[in-house]
Amino acid sequence: MIKVLGPIIYASDFINAETPGTSDAEKTSYIYEKLVKEITDAGSCIEDVIAVQKYVTGMYDNPSTREAYSNHFKLYKPSFTVVTYSDLLCEGGKTSDTCKVLIVAVKGCSKGESYKGLKLDRVVYPSGSPLEELLGYSRAVKAGPFVYVGGTTSVLPDKSVYGADNSEEQDKFIWNKICSFANKAGADKSDIVGIKKWITKDYSGTAFMPDSECQSLLISEVPVDKLTREGQLEEVELFAVIGIGSGKVDKSFSTYFDGF
C-alpha cells in the first residue's frame, strides 16, 4: 500500500507464508525491495527514506533480519524502529501476517529539492549508540522542515531502564529526551504535530504533551505485547514541522503526518 501526503510517501506491506523467500530474512529483503520500487515509481528513491518501521509478532524471527535491513539502508541511516504485537490486526493486517514493514520517504530530500518554496535538505542526527552505527540508522532525521524522531525509550547507556515499571517517570524522561533530539534538528516544542506511543499492558500514564503550544497535534497510543527490556512500558516516536508553531510554515503541513 502506498500513500502520498504532500512530499511525504508512506509505503507498507505485510510478510506472511505467501511472501516469496524461504526465511524471514529473505522475505524481509523481498519486501524492502518491493517498497523501494513503489516509492521510486512515485518519484522518490531509497536515498530519500527517513524512517523504516517493522511491526512484528512472536512468530517472526527479528534478529535474523537485521542484516537484511543493513544491506538495504545502512548507507542512508534512516530512523529504524521495531515493536512486537500479538497480532497485526490493529495495523490493518490479517492473523496470518507475521510482520508489517513501513518505509517513509520525503520526495527529493536527498537531492535538496524544494517543496512550496522550502528546501528539503536531508540531515541525520545519531545518538551515538553502538547499535545505530552497527546496523546503520539514526535517532532523528530532518528533511527540510520535516523532523522525525524514531522510537525513543528510557533505556540508559548501561542498558538499565530509567523509571522501570513507573509510567510517570518514563513519560517525563522520554518526553525530555525526544524533545532534545527534535531541538537538535531545529524544531521547537510548538512545532511538534504528531506523537505515536507504543504501550504495554502495564502502562498507566497519559498521552503527554506538557509543554506544546501546537493545536494541530495528533497523538496515538498503540498497545503492544512487549518492548525490548524488562520494565519498559512505552516507546515513543515524534513528528514535527519546523516553523509551524511560529506560523512561518502553513498549518496544512501538519496533515502530512499519517500517524505512522
Side-chain angles (χ1 to χ4, degrees):
M1 183 181 74
I2 191 162
K3 179 184 290 187
V4 180
L5 298 173
I8 304 180
I9 302 172
Y10 301 85
S12 63
D13 206 346
F14 292 88
I15 294 174
N16 51 45
E18 298 176 0
T19 304
T22 59
S23 67
D24 284 336
E26 289 183 3
K27 290 174 182 286
T28 303
S29 287
Y30 171 84
I31 293 298
Y32 283 149
E33 291 167 8
K34 179 181 178 182
L35 296 180
V36 168
K37 183 180 185 304
E38 288 182 1
I39 66 168
T40 301
D41 291 343
S44 189
C45 60
I46 191 171
E47 294 87 349
D48 289 341
V49 173
I50 64 168
V52 177
Q53 297 181 354
K54 288 169 61 181
Y55 308 140
V56 305
T57 68
M59 297 177 63
Y60 180 84
D61 183 11
N62 176 50
S64 73
T65 66
R66 290 179 176 176
E67 186 176 353
Y69 166 85
S70 294
N71 287 342
H72 287 83
F73 298 104
K74 187 171 185 176
L75 287 176
Y76 316 113
K77 291 182 168 56
S79 167
F80 182 49
T81 302
V82 181
V83 292
T84 303
Y85 292 79
S86 57
D87 60 58
L88 292 171
L89 296 177
C90 61
E91 291 291 342
K94 305 185 295 292
T95 54
S96 59
D97 294 324
T98 59
C99 176
K100 178 182 177 180
V101 179
L102 168 70
I103 65 174
V104 184
V106 177
K107 182 179 175 182
C109 68
S110 62
K111 302 178 181 67
E113 295 180 3
S114 296
Y115 177 77
K116 293 189 175 181
L118 298 173
K119 196 168 184 182
L120 300 177
D121 286 324
R122 184 182 187 276
V123 183
V124 300
Y125 298 87
S127 71
S129 161
L131 188 60
E132 287 182 14
E133 185 62 29
L134 177 66
L135 295 184
Y137 68 95
S138 304
R139 177 62 53 199
V141 182
K142 179 174 79 74
F146 305 107
V147 176
Y148 172 68
V149 184
T152 301
T153 69
S154 64
V155 176
L156 300 172
D158 64 2
K159 298 183 180 180
S160 64
V161 177
Y162 181 88
D165 298 312
N166 187 314
S167 300
E168 183 177 355
E169 289 299 312
Q170 290 189 34
D171 274 351
K172 293 176 182 177
F173 182 89
I174 293 172
W175 173 239
N176 290 330
K177 183 177 178 181
I178 202 168
C179 285
S180 71
F181 281 108
N183 188 254
K184 286 180 182 179
D188 294 328
K189 291 179 180 178
S190 63
D191 294 326
I192 298 170
V193 298
I195 281 179
K196 185 170 184 177
K197 298 177 68 174
W198 289 284
I199 56 175
T200 68
K201 62 181 177 59
D202 296 318
Y203 177 78
S204 60
T206 60
F208 63 92
M209 204 64 186
D211 304 304
S212 177
E213 300 173 1
C214 184
Q215 299 181 6
S216 304
L217 179 67
L218 173 64
I219 299 177
S220 59
E221 290 187 343
V222 183
V224 296
D225 282 11
K226 62 179 181 179
L227 293 169
T228 308
R229 302 189 185 283
E230 191 74 25
Q232 277 185 259
L233 303 176
E234 58 184 301
E235 183 164 348
V236 184
E237 293 182 328
L238 176 153
F239 183 73
V241 182
I242 299 171
I244 203 167
S246 63
K248 294 179 180 179
V249 171
D250 192 282
K251 294 290 185 184
S252 65
F253 278 35
S254 66
T255 64
Y256 300 160
F257 174 68
D258 190 43
F260 286 22

